Amino acid sequence: MSEPAPALEAASSPLLEIAGLNAYYGSARALEDVTFTMGREPVSIVGRNGMGKTTLCNTIMGISPPRAEGSIRFQGDELVGLASHKIARKGIGYVPQGRRLFPSLTVDQHLRIAARGASGGREWTRERVYELFPRLGERRTNGGAELSGGEQQMLAIGRALVTNPTILVMDEPSEGLAPAVIESLIETFKLLEEGGLALLLIEQNLGVATSLAERQLVMIGEASLPRRRRLSSPATRSSSAGTSASNLWLTSLRQPCIARSRSSS
């Protein structure tokens, strides 16, 4: 009679849960006490340069530096201390800032190298990526350095998709792109979200962030915060976390929380 209860509990469990996260470059602390959770809904994190957005991405993905302390749990599994390739195999796809393509490899070779089969559902294959981005199909024999900025971003996204992730972490995907290309990417992100892929978007462009996600987390430097200010509202006071903000403020339009960082990107 109580069989439905576990399913309900699983559905309400966070997909990604970060608690008390600190990150260091040597002895310099870049992130301090970062805390937030997300489920399957798309979430955007916005902030200016130097707020630690890329540091947060690298810490989630286990890319060194930085050195991390605290907890990052994905589908209940602890990630802190794992190698980056093991984190990726748990189902986290990453689109890094600057695309990070290999100039000497063709579009098709990038996708072949990254491809990993899915355990269930509709699998992301090279051909499916070419369906999503027809321009990449036309340029499949071109090298990474021979692509336009928009095409490079398409390839970086496609490379992450063929790993068949559960969540896609994207670090400033609109950087350096023309407005028309950005609009096209936003529509692509919406299609991915409708297909069941969880999206964590890190952005400077507030328009892109708000177009994709109803929930935005805002990274603000310590100098911008009033002393001992606690984020809360009558509707969400019970879910507010943290005490006085010190270095980085993560606030949400839907689920406020406080996190901290030194000024570092």
Side-chain angles (χ1 to χ4, degrees), residues 29-32 34 45-53 217-229 244-251 258-265:
R29 181 156 52 187
L31 297 175
E32 180 179 355
V34 174
I45 297 178
V46 297
R48 63 174 176 79
N49 281 335
M51 290 294 99
K53 302 187 301 299
L217 306 177
V218 184
M219 302 178 78
I220 304 174
E222 140 179 76
S224 304
L225 298 176
R227 292 179 63 84
R228 297 188 177 277
R229 179 173 179 181
S244 59
S246 64
N247 298 309
L248 173 73
W249 208 21
L250 247 64
T251 90
I258 292 177
R260 299 162 187 165
S261 167
R262 300 290 178 189
S263 290
S264 174
S265 58

Side-chain angles (χ1 to χ4, degrees), residues 7 9 14 17 19-20 35 38-39 47 50 60 62 92 104 126 142-143 147 158 169 173 187 227:
E9 181 179 351
E17 185 173 11
T35 300
M38 66 173 287
I60 292 172
I92 304 181
S104 61
R126 289 179 297 117
N142 288 84
L147 306 178
V169 179
E187 293 306 311
R227 292 179 63 84

